[in-house]
Amino acid sequence: MGIFNKIFGKKESSVVSTGPFVNPLEVEFHSHLIPGVDDGVETIEQSLEILENFHKLGMRKVITTPHIMSDYYKNGPENLIPLRDQLREKLAEKNIPLELEVAAEYMVDDAFDKKIENGNLLTFGPKKKHILIELPFMSEPNNLKKVLFELQIAGYQPILAHPERYLYMGNNRSRYEELKDQGILFQLNLLSILGYYSKQVQDSAFYLIDNKMVDLVGSDTHNMRHFSLIPQVFEQKYFRKVCDLELLNNNL
Ligand SMILES: [Fe+2]
């Protein structure tokens, strides 16, 4: 039963809601809110402003996911966890009752195999086995199949970040089916519903929603501009449609 249906006690077959907006998402998943570690927020103040606004939107928890890439963003638990703790302290000082966790958005690059081998990955979820991965935008990496297999063998549940944004998949949609058949979960970006990235990305987002292939949604917020667009997403028919799927967000 989808999130809207759980809240309103409606049957799965009911027509998608058209009433006044109620945000059904309690857990925001996928953002870049650890200051100064990637292309997301730069200061602790910017981070706190966005976190406070997520709380006002009705979120009880934010799982933020800084980039980890071997070339550009050499982050890991050792630098991210102390920064998460600082932010938690600031949230407590400001009396903002928001749970904050840090995971990561791992780029599938040549060094990722090694990271899996070493363990100590930044994961999340009830069993701390969910892991968010992203792919290059230009072409699918050659080691993707191997990496996904290695993750699964090691007991992780891979989640592919914003599959609608990879045009090589949007242009070859059977690839979506293949990845789903391999047990990969898909996380859709909320701003894709608005057409923020491009019309083509929006079309792929609608395709994934129409075909019930979305497992989680996330904002991928890097800055206040991204955040400021989220209320518009909540008004979209396709936002309501995606919330009628079996989204995992509120169970994280
Ligand atoms: Fe991201």
Side-chain angles (χ1 to χ4, degrees):
M1 190 182 275
I3 295 176
F4 267 117
N5 291 339
K6 276 183 186 143
I7 288 174
F8 297 113
K10 290 190 295 187
K11 288 184 183 142
E12 195 63 38
S13 59
S14 61
V15 175
V16 173
S17 317
T18 53
F21 161 71
V22 177
N23 167 32
L25 298 175
E26 297 170 12
V27 179
E28 156 54 24
F29 162 75
H30 192 162
S31 62
H32 299 268
L33 302 180
I34 299 289
V37 300
D38 63 5
D39 57 346
V41 299
E42 290 168 2
T43 66
I44 202 158
E45 290 75 22
Q46 290 168 354
S47 180
L48 287 169
E49 183 185 11
I50 293 172
L51 288 169
E52 186 164 11
N53 277 293
F54 272 126
H55 171 61
K56 286 180 186 162
L57 269 189
M59 304 293 178
R60 67 174 163 78
K61 185 184 209 178
V62 169
I63 303 170
T64 194
T65 51
H67 289 291
I68 297 187
M69 295 182 191
S70 54
D71 293 341
Y72 299 104
Y73 304 122
K74 300 181 185 193
N75 296 309
E78 57 291 343
N79 73 319
L80 296 175
I81 287 174
L83 291 165
R84 175 206 65 186
D85 291 344
Q86 274 184 34
L87 278 169
R88 282 181 175 174
E89 277 172 32
K90 295 281 180 192
L91 286 169
E93 278 171 24
K94 288 168 75 83
N95 286 318
I96 301 169
L98 182 74
E99 287 176 61
L100 177 67
E101 286 189 14
V102 67
E105 182 178 17
Y106 284 97
M107 173 61 80
V108 177
D109 52 25
D110 291 341
F112 188 51
D113 301 60
K114 196 81 192 152
K115 291 192 179 93
I116 301 170
E117 207 179 301
N118 291 343
N120 200 21
L121 297 171
L122 284 155
T123 55
F124 57 95
K127 295 182 180 164
K128 297 279 180 212
K129 284 294 183 186
H130 289 69
I131 181 165
L132 183 68
I133 59 168
E134 67 171 330
L135 306 179
F137 286 113
M138 295 304 287
S139 60
E140 191 173 306
N142 294 329
N143 63 341
L144 180 60
K145 193 173 178 186
K146 179 169 171 272
V147 159
L148 292 173
F149 182 70
E150 284 169 358
L151 282 171
Q152 288 174 319
I153 288 291
Y156 296 105
Q157 170 60 67
I159 299 173
L160 181 60
H162 40 62
E164 74 280 7
R165 294 194 65 193
Y166 309 118
L167 297 184
Y168 49 85
M169 286 187 188
N171 291 330
N172 176 21
R173 288 179 174 163
S174 60
R175 196 67 191 104
Y176 290 138
E177 322 274 346
E178 288 166 8
L179 289 169
K180 292 295 287 185
D181 287 347
Q182 281 176 47
I184 312 309
L185 301 182
F186 283 176
Q187 176 260 308
L188 189 98
N189 273 13
L190 290 174
L191 298 189
S192 298
I193 292 174
L194 274 189
Y196 174 78
Y197 305 101
S198 72
K199 174 79 175 71
Q200 204 176 345
V201 169
Q202 185 184 40
D203 286 346
S204 294
F206 291 172
Y207 173 85
L208 293 169
I209 296 171
D210 285 338
N211 287 280
K212 301 183 167 45
M213 297 174 95
V214 179
D215 302 287
L216 303 101
V217 294
S219 69
D220 206 355
T221 296
H222 285 65
N223 49 50
M224 203 51 201
R225 167 160 168 71
H226 287 160
F227 178 85
S228 68
L229 294 168
I230 296 171
Q232 287 179 49
V233 177
F234 289 162
E235 293 167 14
Q236 305 300 309
K237 181 181 80 175
Y238 266 90
F239 174 69
R240 294 177 178 230
K241 200 165 179 181
V242 79
C243 287
D244 276 339
L245 302 181
E246 294 286 331
L247 295 183
L248 297 179
N249 285 69
N250 291 354
N251 299 322
L252 296 177

